[in-house]
Amino acid sequence: MSPLRFGRKSWLPAVLSVALSSALPVSAECPTRTDWPTEDWLESKEEVAASRAAQLRALEDYAFTLVGKDEERKGVRTDGLLLIHKGRIIYERYGRGFDASKRHLAWSMSKSFTSALTGIAVGLGKVSLDDSICEHVKATRQENCTITVQNLLEFASGLDWREDYENGGTYQTSSVLAMLYGAGRKDMVAFITAHEQQEKPGTSWRYSSGDTTLLAGVLDAALRPSLGREWPWTLLLDVLGMKSATWERDPKGVIVGSSYVHATPRDLAKLGFLYLHDGCWENRRVLPAGWVTDSTAVSGPIKLKSHERGSDDVQGWQWWLNRPIPDVQEALPWPSVPEGAYAARGHWGQSITVIPSKDLIVVRTADDRDGSFSLETLLKLSLAVVEDQP
């Protein structure tokens, strides 16, 4: 990606103190529709329940069948499941004490929100993809000033980061656990930039909550002076009408970009709807033209070298992709799903999946613990619900 495409020239109005939703002009290149879900979603649940009963039963039998007692944390443990087809909720169900009004921790789906905010900041001219992080934040290790905004978007910082969770990490051995709960939690930017570089930035892919949280720190430094500490709401969450959304911060006031968005499934789905409409909302452009396309294309570093990458780990700019990796992997991560689908995904089974060719968004909140859940299976069963539907 040439840095000239997403350089510092602003494409948005210069007055940043007003809410973005009222500042953005109507764009001729945006899809024109009257049923944007800013306030709430339209619904067709009853019609679909009547016409697709067998398909919905199969979906529910998979998604809502607990194994043993709830406290044993076995089997597929769905807390919420939402299908949105052609802009309407066609299916919605909750489990384990959740309902449509209750927020759910998004875990690493937060990364895709941070990616979207990066696009907005680039469009405002507040950051550029080729900016060194040190143009915005102080790095504990000076050599980490070679890391750019794009490197962070692509999980390509080159930092020796250990993304180990409860099955293989401790505060002493896992970078992410230390960042969230241990020595790094008081100042996450300082903690992340204290890591040594293992490889030259931009030359390899490694999934890293550190990269995304450092990216959030860069955005905070660039945006807070003019927009205040509520800039994620002003620029994105309020624009989409995500009234339920909260986002935890570290003690320095920086949002934890990797992990800590909380929102209802109905509100989480709005990020998918934004991307399904090429970054437009209410017929106005929120993300720069081309941002969605570039975000959902296979990133350059993952084609070069990957650390601890599984066969379903194909990524763009903090989105998981159902695409092959040229010259590396021919198979699709989810073979039963149309190529070009993409998802925000989080720990313990969270997902916002966008399937553009079917005009379908599938949102799932969950508490999976034993590894038995398959996103591909869920998506296959969800696709059956909308198959041959007008």
Side-chain angles (χ1 to χ4, degrees):
M1 167 59 59
S2 168
L4 295 176
R5 178 170 181 184
F6 290 122
R8 288 192 177 278
K9 184 178 179 180
S10 175
W11 58 276
L12 293 179
V15 181
L16 301 180
S17 60
V18 296
L20 191 66
S21 56
S22 61
L24 289 171
V26 172
S27 174
E29 61 187 13
C30 287
T32 301
R33 61 187 306 155
T34 59
D35 56 347
W36 294 90
T38 311
E39 295 302 321
D40 205 355
W41 294 92
L42 297 177
E43 300 183 18
S44 297
K45 292 189 286 188
E46 292 183 2
E47 299 94 314
V48 174
S51 63
R52 311 298 286 184
Q55 292 85 351
L56 288 172
R57 190 179 307 114
L59 177 62
E60 291 185 336
D61 285 347
Y62 178 70
F64 289 96
T65 303
L66 294 175
V67 177
K69 298 179 180 179
D70 183 56
E71 58 267 25
E72 293 176 332
R73 294 177 169 176
K74 294 181 180 179
V76 177
R77 297 164 51 80
T78 300
D79 295 331
L81 183 57
L82 194 63
L83 271 61
I84 298 171
H85 187 227
K86 297 185 176 180
R88 291 175 175 263
I89 295 177
I90 62 168
Y91 175 81
E92 183 176 26
R93 179 175 166 180
Y94 298 91
R96 299 190 332 101
F98 283 87
D99 60 43
S101 69
K102 293 183 178 178
R103 299 182 184 95
H104 200 287
L105 178 56
W107 285 117
S108 287
M109 290 195 294
S110 308
K111 293 179 171 69
S112 299
F113 283 90
T114 301
S115 178
L117 286 164
T118 304
I120 297 171
V122 168
L124 286 167
K126 291 296 184 177
V127 299
S128 179
L129 291 182
D130 63 340
D131 280 357
S132 160
I133 63 169
C134 295
E135 293 183 43
H136 304 282
V137 299
K138 181 180 179 180
T140 304
R141 289 179 177 269
Q142 184 65 26
E143 62 265 29
N144 287 332
C145 290
T146 57
I147 299 169
T148 67
V149 168
Q150 182 161 344
N151 295 153
L152 298 178
L153 266 178
E154 296 180 331
F155 290 131
S157 67
L159 295 176
D160 186 13
W161 183 266
R162 304 298 177 183
E163 189 82 9
D164 297 320
Y165 301 107
E166 62 274 5
N167 294 328
T170 67
Y171 293 173
Q172 289 73 39
T173 62
S174 168
S175 300
V176 65
L177 292 183
M179 179 186 76
L180 295 177
Y181 310 115
R185 63 186 174 84
K186 294 182 180 180
D187 187 342
M188 294 187 182
V189 168
F191 174 76
I192 297 160
T193 58
H195 282 67
E196 296 181 357
Q197 280 193 21
Q198 185 177 14
E199 294 182 282
K200 181 180 177 181
T203 63
S204 66
W205 178 91
R206 168 181 270 157
Y207 184 80
S208 168
S209 292
D211 281 11
T212 318
T213 301
L214 177 53
L215 180 58
V218 168
L219 297 178
D220 186 74
L223 294 165
R224 193 194 293 201
S226 56
L227 288 173
R229 73 193 301 267
E230 302 304 314
W231 59 267
W233 281 261
T234 301
L235 295 181
L236 181 63
L237 304 179
D238 285 348
V239 174
L240 304 186
M242 293 183 62
K243 296 182 178 66
S244 70
T246 65
W247 203 331
E248 296 182 52
R249 307 172 189 265
D250 75 0
K252 293 290 185 179
V254 176
I255 57 169
V256 184
S258 65
S259 310
Y260 281 157
V261 168
H262 301 249
T264 64
R266 283 182 171 228
D267 275 353
L268 291 169
K270 293 178 181 181
L271 181 69
F273 204 68
L274 174 70
Y275 273 69
L276 186 61
H277 290 82
D278 193 36
C280 293
W281 198 266
E282 297 281 5
N283 307 319
R284 294 170 168 84
R285 179 155 291 289
V286 176
L287 299 174
W291 188 266
V292 170
T293 298
D294 291 328
S295 297
T296 57
V298 179
S299 73
I302 206 171
K303 302 174 187 177
L304 301 175
K305 182 179 179 180
S306 298
H307 292 273
E308 300 175 359
R309 188 184 71 82
S311 61
D312 63 343
D313 294 342
V314 180
Q315 281 220 331
W317 290 352
Q318 314 257 331
W319 287 89
W320 301 92
L321 314 179
N322 196 37
R323 297 186 185 276
I325 302 177
D327 302 319
V328 176
Q329 176 180 306
E330 295 183 2
L332 295 178
W334 316 315
S336 302
V337 179
E339 183 174 342
Y342 51 92
R345 301 182 69 178
H347 200 44
W348 292 336
Q350 327 308 319
S351 58
I352 306 165
T353 305
V354 181
I355 307 178
S357 63
K358 300 296 182 180
D359 202 349
L360 179 65
I361 301 168
V362 181
V363 177
R364 180 176 185 259
T365 54
D367 188 38
D368 300 322
R369 301 297 181 103
D370 65 5
S372 62
F373 172 74
S374 164
L375 179 59
E376 183 190 4
T377 300
L378 180 82
L379 297 177
K380 181 179 179 180
L381 292 167
S382 299
L383 284 163
V385 175
V386 302
E387 185 178 12
D388 301 324
Q389 290 294 290

